[in-house]
Amino acid sequence: MTALDVRSGLSRRGLLAAGRNLAIVLLLGIGFLVASVVSGWIVPPYLFILAAGLPIAGIALLGAGRDRGIWIVYILGFVAFAYLRALADETPFPVQFSYAIDLERALFLGTVPTIWLQAKFYQLGQPSLVDQVTVFIHFTYFFVPHVFAFTLWRQNHLAFRRYVAGAVGCYYLALLSCIVLPTAPPWLAGQTGQLVHVYRVVEDVLTNANPAAYDYAYQVAGTNAVAAMPSLHFAIAYLIALASRALGIRSGTLGVSYAIAMACALVYAGEHYVVDLIAGGVLAVVAWRIAVRANRGRSPSDSAHLPADENAAR
């Protein structure tokens, strides 16, 4: 082994250690922010940006080797999307209510699953364990995709590039959809009389803990109330399930379990119809297939981490 090889190995190990530490900081920062909001101390938005944004930005800017450009695309793509999505509710197209409800009732024999689930399990003002788990799963959307990207970057560069391409594709295809076809979620349909009352579980649980918590979180996240179709929450969760197969059977199973948990949480919480999830799943599959086709090249180190079926197909 040459001195250059030794230096490269040390540099790589140091980079991975630094990246791992940054990911830990990210998780701790988001956990701190969620806990502080729930407990009643409203964190200034600039602290949220510092705690949630700098660790990932540090990975890209402090040295990600050949994947530095991919990280920058991922970060800038996500930041630009978050900004544009918050503005997309000013679309000139009318908000749609009925078509999603009609599809839902056609699929489930006249029943809307959100209403059925909430009638069975939800009691306003009395948050249960199911409600708290639902809120937690919903909030994982804001950090799990980024931690997963970091995990792929460490273990499988090809899968990382595919995941980034798929995620950016999902973001902007969903953005286009919510601009041309703004669709109300179940909770909004309930407020306007299109459905019987639908509780917004995430808002109710957070408001019960701290009346200002949800309004603050809503402002920080910059969400769009009429971007239900397709469900981007589920699209990204399903994209994680697709990409996690590159890490092995256990990771693939965990990815699928996460997507199922997200689907259940979104429907029960009143945030999405099942048809929104179906559209989100289709979006994820399309974005992933495009990403795979666009990133066919592989190096020996990439191939070493691919599932057996992909190596066999070479």
Side-chain angles (χ1 to χ4, degrees):
M1 180 179 293
T2 66
L4 178 59
D5 293 330
V6 172
R7 287 195 300 271
S8 298
L10 290 174
S11 176
R12 179 173 178 78
R13 285 196 297 272
L15 176 60
L16 292 178
R20 181 174 61 252
N21 293 336
L22 287 170
I24 291 172
V25 171
L26 171 65
L27 289 173
L28 291 176
I30 292 178
F32 162 75
L33 291 165
V34 172
S36 64
V37 169
V38 171
S39 65
W41 181 55
I42 301 302
V43 182
Y46 70 87
L47 287 182
F48 181 92
I49 295 171
L50 289 175
L54 286 184
I56 291 180
I59 293 174
L61 300 178
L62 296 180
R66 58 180 173 171
D67 292 323
R68 183 182 295 109
I70 306 298
W71 270 114
I72 292 174
V73 168
Y74 179 73
I75 295 168
L76 294 182
F78 176 78
V79 171
F81 159 77
Y83 176 76
L84 293 172
R85 186 170 184 262
L87 300 179
D89 58 352
E90 300 177 5
T91 173
F93 301 98
V95 177
Q96 301 296 314
F97 288 85
S98 60
Y99 84 89
I101 299 173
D102 292 341
L103 287 173
E104 201 83 341
R105 287 173 172 162
L107 285 174
F108 298 99
L109 304 177
T111 300
V112 176
T114 294
I115 296 175
W116 185 86
L117 286 170
Q118 291 190 358
K120 292 287 185 181
F121 299 105
Y122 189 67
Q123 292 186 350
L124 181 63
Q126 302 179 33
S128 66
L129 178 61
V130 171
D131 303 332
Q132 293 168 354
V133 170
T134 295
V135 172
F136 174 76
I137 293 172
H138 184 273
F139 271 108
T140 62
Y141 166 79
F142 297 102
F143 62 88
V144 164
H146 311 314
V147 174
F148 180 70
F150 170 76
T151 303
L152 283 180
W153 171 64
R154 284 192 60 192
Q155 300 188 26
N156 189 315
H157 290 281
L158 179 59
F160 169 68
R161 292 194 293 270
R162 289 174 172 177
Y163 173 72
V164 169
V168 172
C170 282
Y171 291 144
Y172 288 96
L173 288 174
L175 179 64
L176 177 62
S177 176
C178 74
I179 290 175
V180 301
L181 188 65
T183 303
W187 65 266
L188 186 56
Q191 289 185 359
T192 57
Q194 305 290 327
L195 289 173
V196 298
H197 184 71
V198 175
Y199 297 103
R200 195 171 192 185
V201 175
V202 175
E203 179 179 8
D204 292 345
V205 170
L206 288 180
T207 301
N208 184 71
N210 174 12
Y214 186 80
D215 289 340
Y216 172 78
Y218 193 90
Q219 293 174 8
V220 170
T223 55
N224 182 339
V226 292
M229 176 64 77
S231 169
L232 185 59
H233 275 67
F234 184 70
I236 295 299
Y238 194 57
L239 183 70
I240 289 173
L242 294 172
S244 64
R245 296 178 301 174
L247 302 180
I249 295 176
R250 290 184 180 179
S251 296
T253 301
L254 185 61
V256 170
S257 300
Y258 176 66
I260 292 173
M262 180 63 75
C264 294
L266 293 171
V267 174
Y268 173 65
E271 298 294 332
H272 285 284
Y273 299 102
V274 174
V275 293
D276 300 338
L277 307 185
I278 294 173
V282 171
L283 173 62
V285 170
V286 170
W288 177 249
R289 289 186 175 180
I290 293 173
V292 169
R293 289 182 178 274
N295 293 274
R296 285 188 176 278
R298 63 184 62 168
S299 67
S301 60
D302 291 330
S303 300
H305 296 286
L306 289 175
D309 57 345
E310 288 200 38
N311 276 318
R314 293 186 64 187

